Amino acid sequence: MIKSTLRIAFAICLLISQIQVLGQSNQSQIKGRILDQNKQPVAYATAALYNTDSVLIKGEISNLDGYFTLNNIKENTYYLMVNHVEFAPKYVNNIEVSANNMINVGNIALSEQSVELSGVTVTAKRQMIEVLPDKMVFNVSSTVNASGNNGLELLSKAPGVIIDPDNNVILQGKSGVRIFINGRPSRLSGTDLTTFLESLQSDNIEKIELITNPSAKYEAEGNAGIINIELKKNVNLGYNGNFVHSYSKGSAARMSNGITINYGKNKLGFTANATRFDNSFYEGFRDITDQSGYNLRLKSDEFKDRVGYNLTSSITYDLSKSHSINISGGAITTTGDYDGNSRTNITNLENNAENRLLRSQQLTNYTSSNHNVNLNYRWKISDNSSLSSDFSYGKFKKDNNVYQPNTYFDESGTKEIAQINNAFAPNTDIDLYSAKLDYEKKFDNITLSSGVKYYEVQTKNQFTVSDVVDGVYTVNEAQSNTFDYTEQVGAIYVIGDFTLFDKFKMNAGIRMEQTASQGILESTQATENDNVKRNYLNFFPNVSVAHDFQKSKISLGFGKRITRPGYQDLNPFESKQSELSIWKGNPFLNPNYITNYQVTYTYNNALVISNIYSITEGYFARILEIVDETGTIIIPRNMRRSTVNGLSVSYPFVLTDWWEASAFAIYNWSTFQGEFENTEIDISTQIYNLRIQNTFELPWAVTANLSAYYNSPFIWRGSIEIKEFYGIDFGVRKDFFDGQLQIRLTGSDIFNTGSDFDYLGDYGGIYSIGTYMSDNHRFGFGLTYKFGNQKIKKQQNSNAMDDELNRL
């Protein structure tokens, strides 16, 4: 079935490519060449064509040889403006265009800027938070207090994002977010995804895009949408680079050192980065639970140390004016040591003679590696059409060794009653294959896009359990297993982007995905869940319409999505997180399906008000069940239904010439409904999220950021309420030697008000109240040193051209 899907997709791409002759009745063309004062070609200059009313008609970026071409120009009189960041603008006036006319304006010589502004530096600066109709952008490079954070910590600073105690990412009240890196999806989930995000360093991240209702071009995976993390790229000429150091201290210390080297000249572009990180983490639980006539008081502390390297590189080569190729890859290697200690006072509320004290440890060491390589080929067929392809391979491997000694004492803690020592070796090996082809064709009032994609994930999980007696390890065959999971998805999409009439636009598309998966369990213990297969076909429509008024814009959107269960959630065997807490996967966990509705209003390109209504059928919940009176087992289950009705408001404003701020607020009404083991869940909650970002331009060229945030209570694991929390972050930056050296001081949650999560749960006969403690109360130092040529160039792609035209 997937092969048939691919054939259909390629047929659609070919069909669209055959209709290029449409919309080309007017073949008038304007071309020329842009040179500097030394008659050398100027690459990446903007050639913008205006009519006599100074309305922008069309724009193009000059290639590496300085040539540009403007196609499909209607009969009229125009003037041409040529612009480049290093030169003064140049105009070519009175260009008369008639039908089927080929006009060559010849060489256009630019001269260096002759206007000097004494004592004044003009700097283009991005807003820290940009709210666009289709996404929100958190510009990490524009905020000082983001320095020194890892990728997971950085996400928690993004507007509308919460990281819960399980390190799940919640976006605008919804979990199930897909994480993309440079526009490519990460296939990791659970603790593997957490480890990967914590290996990223904020100093290497350019921006974070929050896409709540992705178009049909994106994969349909992801309940809450997509978070795309864009890493910094080389945008400078010649040889250059930088060295970055960051250090922060909370309960534990974290440090990273990285160097980036870039080279760009003519048709070749190269960049490489190497970063070493040495991070320590602390987390703790203080919990009181009543269940089955017992009272359990838990005190748990865990320290984690991770040391590793993150290596990335990219080579881009322009084969010709129309063809380019890029090869990129990366490798992350990590070693970790975890030391967890806990004590649990177990009180029998009916028989004090059975009171006990449990002392437990969890000693873990692991190694992990994450490698990936990607080949991209782009063919600019014409000025109005393009074809691009991507081929990717990734491999993730993680080897764990866990030793878990447990000792029961009497109530006083002096007399040993029993000792149960276990060892675990949960090892994971994942191979990821991906290929996609995208085609785009532009006409006068419509842009058609189509594409095909195939990816396959092969996961091998080996779980070995050993009983440890007097230091002797004996494999427990009954509790050990291997679980292999394979998932294949073939997809095609078609999108039309229409301009129906003046200032009214519509985007409509549909994506079809065929999914085939199989989970195979091998163990000595017989189970009916040893081979679970699935094969299903889904269609995901997405429609949005927008209308521009004089100062405002309104857009409406509708889309459907899917969230497939992670491989860790499907393994049906039991894994002890502690002597009293067991994790068990659910091989019959079904994907959930999401319907999103969105309306967005924008006023004066500043105030943005958006309402999102989302319905999730089969929501993933982690349900607690009682085992042997004092223990609990956590099982992922499909909840019947979850809804989120969210309203967000964003507004940037300038208070003085040295103080800018932006405010972002979210209100969500969320419901969770389901029934498990004759226990009905019907929870509704209101969630508020407020963040205010301030930027101050202080004397002596000092820049400061101050951010305040508040989060109201929210639901964790589908049945536990997390109490409100709030905090303040700050950052101060000073540049030296004309920006060549940058020094930063940062503080996260400086008053220690937002690093602990208080929670309350009452479900299925289990009543619990407690606090989860993290290590987010931190202060740090960082520096960046730049070397080599720092003259900016523009990348030769559509985004670069759009940026230049927006400046004009």
Side-chain angles (χ1 to χ4, degrees), residues 419-663:
Q419 191 174 100
I420 303 173
N421 300 330
N422 303 305
F424 311 97
N427 301 321
T428 301
D429 199 339
I430 306 175
D431 290 286
L432 310 102
Y433 307 88
S434 174
K436 70 173 184 175
L437 182 69
D438 296 290
Y439 175 80
E440 183 178 279
K441 171 65 180 177
K442 297 179 181 179
F443 303 99
D444 286 341
N445 297 316
I446 180 175
T447 298
L448 295 180
S449 305
S450 181
V452 56
K453 183 169 186 177
Y454 171 82
Y455 77 80
E456 180 174 338
V457 181
Q458 298 176 358
T459 305
K460 298 181 183 296
N461 303 276
Q462 183 176 5
F463 187 66
T464 304
V465 180
S466 299
D467 300 321
V468 183
V469 180
D470 296 329
V472 178
Y473 289 66
T474 304
V475 175
N476 188 326
E477 298 289 351
Q479 295 186 23
S480 302
N481 75 93
T482 60
F483 181 69
D484 295 344
Y485 178 74
T486 302
E487 183 177 276
Q488 300 168 313
V489 177
I492 60 175
Y493 74 87
V494 178
I495 300 175
D497 201 340
F498 309 88
T499 301
L500 301 180
F501 51 86
D502 187 34
K503 296 185 178 182
F504 185 86
K505 297 182 179 180
M506 182 177 73
N507 179 286
I510 188 166
R511 186 179 185 92
M512 180 180 72
E513 292 189 353
Q514 175 76 36
T515 305
S517 66
Q518 183 176 24
I520 301 176
L521 175 69
E522 295 182 2
S523 67
T524 59
Q525 183 176 333
T527 173
E528 61 180 7
N529 307 327
D530 59 351
N531 193 340
V532 178
K533 294 183 178 180
R534 285 195 177 91
N535 198 318
Y536 48 93
L537 175 68
N538 300 115
F539 293 87
F540 303 98
N542 190 286
V543 179
S544 64
V545 294
H547 188 277
D548 281 332
F549 299 93
Q550 186 173 3
K551 282 191 174 183
S552 60
K553 178 178 181 179
I554 188 168
S555 61
L556 306 174
F558 163 81
K560 287 183 174 290
R561 302 189 61 76
I562 185 175
T563 302
R564 301 178 180 89
Y567 60 86
Q568 293 174 328
D569 293 342
L570 296 170
N571 189 343
F573 247 58
E574 296 181 356
S575 170
K576 283 189 176 182
Q577 297 178 316
S578 70
E579 183 64 17
L580 299 179
S581 180
I582 299 173
W583 167 265
K584 182 178 181 180
N586 179 4
F588 298 110
L589 195 65
N590 290 314
N592 60 46
Y593 295 92
I594 307 96
T595 304
N596 291 317
Y597 304 89
Q598 182 169 346
V599 55
T600 301
Y601 172 78
T602 305
Y603 179 75
N604 207 24
N605 290 322
L607 175 66
V608 179
I609 303 174
S610 181
N611 180 251
I612 299 175
Y613 181 66
S614 175
I615 305 170
T616 302
E617 305 290 347
Y619 174 82
F620 297 152
R622 296 187 174 187
I623 301 302
L624 295 175
E625 295 181 3
I626 298 173
V627 178
D628 298 330
E629 296 181 326
T630 59
T632 57
I633 186 168
I634 305 172
I635 303 176
R637 298 282 190 89
N638 287 110
M639 185 174 282
R640 183 168 61 245
R641 179 185 174 100
S642 171
T643 66
V644 176
N645 190 353
L647 177 69
S648 65
V649 180
S650 172
Y651 185 69
F653 45 92
V654 178
L655 298 171
T656 69
D657 57 354
W658 52 270
W659 181 4
E660 296 181 4
S662 60

Side-chain angles (χ1 to χ4, degrees), residues 100-118:
N100 299 314
N101 192 11
M102 312 295 284
I103 298 175
N104 189 340
V105 297
N107 294 335
I108 302 173
L110 301 182
S111 58
E112 292 184 349
Q113 293 279 8
S114 59
V115 178
E116 296 183 0
L117 301 177
S118 178

Side-chain angles (χ1 to χ4, degrees), residues 384-396:
N384 298 319
S385 62
S386 64
L387 185 71
S388 65
S389 59
D390 273 275
F391 304 91
S392 301
Y393 169 72
K395 186 172 184 63
F396 176 82

